[in-house]
Amino acid sequence: MRRLIASCMLGLLVALGGAMPSLGQTAGLAPQRPGRTDVYVLSFGLWGPQSVFDSEARGAARILEALFDAKGRSVVRSNTKRRAGATPQTLMAAAAAAGQVLDPAEDVVVLVITSHGGPDGIGLVTGRDARLVTPGDVRQLLDRTRAQNRVLIVSACYSGIFARELADPRTLVITAAAADRPSFGCRDGATWTYFGDAFFNRALRGERRLDVAFDRARSLVTERERREGFTPSNPQIAGGEQVLGRLKEACRDTPLQQVGRIAAC
């Protein structure tokens, strides 16, 4: 895996920077509601050869939609063995579509990326085409949304590099692993990776605050890794002091019956 990522000599920088995204595939996003904080979810599964990343991207979007009343305000793009749904062009189109309807100062974008990772970035694989997605590429995606308050969740090996490079007071970054650690559970046919199961499927079903859910997920995934004989992946959280306040407002605006029995904001 590391050799494959290292062999991806060209990142997405040129592809993203030169792409003129068509918004047709992402048209129809619900507009923001003045006077309240809306959350827009972009969830991308990048590694086509293993179905777990498509499954995780879809599952994460469903849970975040319910958590933040984001129905109609989410876009899922993923690659599979048969479909190239997450390309540089479609990713930028999704980000641009969100940017057309949200209020940059009022709303929040949550970007979820799930794939294999290496020390320099994460992989985007469609058929025989393999690219490296770097922190700089992801910064471009976030900037294209125009949102001033952003959340980035990266489920991949070595994904702590994104926390190190992108976290700031208005950008909350949550990663499945430290910059020098692999993560686990990327088996073809699985529904979730270990971190995805712990964070999205378990912690966020009982906790509406992302930082509190992260603490719970980190404990769950560390317990599982140790039980199965793996060196702990050491998930990371960084930045986001201001965006967490915005998310609390969005949480308060979400009807409790929509998320079931879950912790208060």
Side-chain angles (χ1 to χ4, degrees), residues 3 10 14 30 32 43 53 59-60 86 134 175 188 220 229 232 259 262:
R3 287 194 298 272
L10 296 178
V14 173
Q32 69 95 213
S43 190
F53 301 112
T134 68
T175 69
D188 190 32
L220 287 170
V259 292
I262 199 166

Side-chain angles (χ1 to χ4, degrees), residues 19-212:
M20 295 298 292
S22 167
L23 300 185
Q25 292 180 308
T26 48
L29 281 176
Q32 69 95 213
R33 293 163 286 190
R36 64 179 291 175
T37 299
D38 283 309
V39 175
Y40 287 81
V41 177
L42 306 177
S43 190
F44 302 149
L46 303 187
W47 193 275
Q50 290 178 297
S51 63
V52 63
F53 301 112
D54 171 56
S55 174
E56 184 158 282
R58 295 179 183 280
R62 286 193 299 269
I63 290 166
L64 291 167
E65 281 180 3
L67 199 67
F68 294 116
D69 191 20
K71 189 71 173 178
R73 295 180 175 85
S74 70
V75 179
V76 178
R77 292 288 176 263
S78 55
N79 296 321
T80 69
K81 296 180 182 73
R82 297 179 178 85
R83 185 185 70 251
T87 66
Q89 292 75 23
T90 61
L91 302 190
M92 286 299 277
Q100 285 195 338
V101 294
L102 60 74
D103 183 313
E106 192 170 65
D107 299 328
V108 178
V109 161
V110 180
L111 173 58
V112 179
I113 304 178
T114 177
S115 184
H116 283 295
D120 299 314
I122 57 180
L124 189 161
V125 178
T126 60
R128 296 182 178 180
D129 184 27
R131 301 174 183 267
L132 185 67
V133 181
T134 68
D137 300 325
V138 173
R139 187 188 300 277
Q140 285 195 60
L141 281 172
L142 290 169
D143 289 346
R144 184 61 66 94
T145 70
R146 304 190 306 124
Q148 296 174 15
N149 297 285
R150 302 100 69 94
V151 177
L152 172 64
I153 304 169
V154 185
S155 178
C157 295
Y158 307 99
S159 48
I161 64 170
F162 291 89
R164 185 178 64 205
E165 297 292 332
L166 300 179
D168 60 42
R170 289 186 178 271
T171 307
L172 175 68
V173 183
I174 292 172
T175 69
D180 60 349
R181 299 283 182 91
S183 57
F184 303 97
C186 50
R187 177 177 56 82
D188 190 32
T191 303
W192 300 96
T193 64
Y194 285 10
F195 179 78
D197 180 57
F199 183 66
F200 296 110
N201 191 42
R202 300 179 66 182
L204 281 181
R205 291 190 188 276
E207 174 56 61
R208 304 176 82 178
R209 295 166 294 179
L210 294 188
D211 52 341
V212 177

